[in-house]
């Protein structure tokens, strides 16, 4: 029992040093990291909850929320190497299941969408990174090694090794192999709306060119097309333009 506790403490500390370059010393982490304090408080509350001391477990979690701003229900199942960065405003519901080496940022909610008892909160796979302000709602599953963009609202299952952005969340399965550790580059996100607009504007431009050929008029992009290009530039077109300017 004691050996398992010590191992868990080491895993939680290693998670901080592995994923936060701002962590400078063990003393600093122990004294100032509210995310770590919330995780350790949860471990205590979880033990109480599962030994029929549910009221005491809820009391411990409430005290932890008061001091850290992070609310983790003691009934949640959370794996090893769990790291909450900054942490303020994080909420993890009762029937949530979180895998190993998961990283959460501030404002994340693992919430339910039902008043029925039973499984009503998300299941998060291993090595998942959830960006600031993201909301994952309902008894859905987020596959291993996935990345949830900041402020995304996820209400459907997500396959492993995927990226999710937008409201509601749009899923893009990555072509790269699954990373062996949490992928913290959650600034690299697909622009689903921009890609759709670029595709539609390209088709409209082709139609306008064809119509000008039929009518015999000279073609010039409309002001609308120019505005769309300015808002959502085509990376391939921009790269070609840069090459011409450099030459």
């Amino acid at each position: 029992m004691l050996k398992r506790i010590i191992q868990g403490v080491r895993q939680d500390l290693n998670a901080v040093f592995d994923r936060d370059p701002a962590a400078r010393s063990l003393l600093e982490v122990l004294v100032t990291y509210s995310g770590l304090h919330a995780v350790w408080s949860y471990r205590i509350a979880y033990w109480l909850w599962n030994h029929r001391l549910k009221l005491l477990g809820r009391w411990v979690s409430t005290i932890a929320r008061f001091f850290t701003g992070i609310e983790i229900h003691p009934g949640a199942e959370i794996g090893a190497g769990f790291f909450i960065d900054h942490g303020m405003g994080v909420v993890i519901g009762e029937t949530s299941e979180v895998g190993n080496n998961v990283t959460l940022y501030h404002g994340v909610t693992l919430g339910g969408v039902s008043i029925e008892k039973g499984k009503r909160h998300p299941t998060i796979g291993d090595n998942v990174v959830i960006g600031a302000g993201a909301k994952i709602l309902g008894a859905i599953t987020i596959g291993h090694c996935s990345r949830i963009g900041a402020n995304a609202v996820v209400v459907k299952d997500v396959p492993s090794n995927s990226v999710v952005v937008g409201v509601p969340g749009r899923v893009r399965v990555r072509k790269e192999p699954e990373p062996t550790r949490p992928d913290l580059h959650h600034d690299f996100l697909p622009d689903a709306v921009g890609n759709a607009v670029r595709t539609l504007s390209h088709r409209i431009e082709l139609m306008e060119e064809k119509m000008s050929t039929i009518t015999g008029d000279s073609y010039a992009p409309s002001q609308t097309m120019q505005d769309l290009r300015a808002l959502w530039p085509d990376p391939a077109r921009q790269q070609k333009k840069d090459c011409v300017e450099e030459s």
Side-chain angles (χ1 to χ4, degrees), residues 18-21 83 103 105 129 147 181-187:
D18 286 346
R19 292 173 235 166
D20 187 3
F83 177 48
T103 304
Y105 289 83
V129 176
R147 196 170 69 219
R181 56 182 299 174
D183 179 6
L184 300 184
H185 291 289
H186 51 281
D187 54 331

Side-chain angles (χ1 to χ4, degrees), residues 81-98:
F82 181 55
F83 177 48
I84 303 175
D85 199 1
H86 301 291
M88 180 63 70
V90 168
V91 177
I92 300 176
E94 177 187 8
T95 62
S96 298
E97 299 174 56
V98 180

Side-chain angles (χ1 to χ4, degrees), residues 148-161:
I148 311 299
N151 293 315
V153 178
V154 187
V155 294
K156 295 181 180 180
D157 290 342
V158 175
S160 296
N161 200 29

Side-chain angles (χ1 to χ4, degrees), residues 111-122:
V113 293
S114 171
I115 60 174
E116 302 295 330
K117 292 186 180 295
K119 177 66 173 173
R120 59 190 184 278
H121 294 93

Side-chain angles (χ1 to χ4, degrees), residues 3-45:
K3 183 178 180 181
R4 192 170 63 217
I5 292 174
I6 294 174
Q7 182 181 10
V9 168
R10 286 177 176 172
Q11 288 176 323
D12 292 334
L13 287 171
N14 289 336
V16 175
F17 286 104
D18 286 346
R19 292 173 235 166
D20 187 3
R24 296 179 297 178
S25 69
L26 178 61
L27 179 61
E28 180 184 58
V29 170
L30 291 174
V31 173
T32 65
Y33 273 62
S34 59
L36 184 63
H37 301 158
V39 171
W40 283 350
S41 298
Y42 155 78
R43 306 286 188 204
I44 297 171

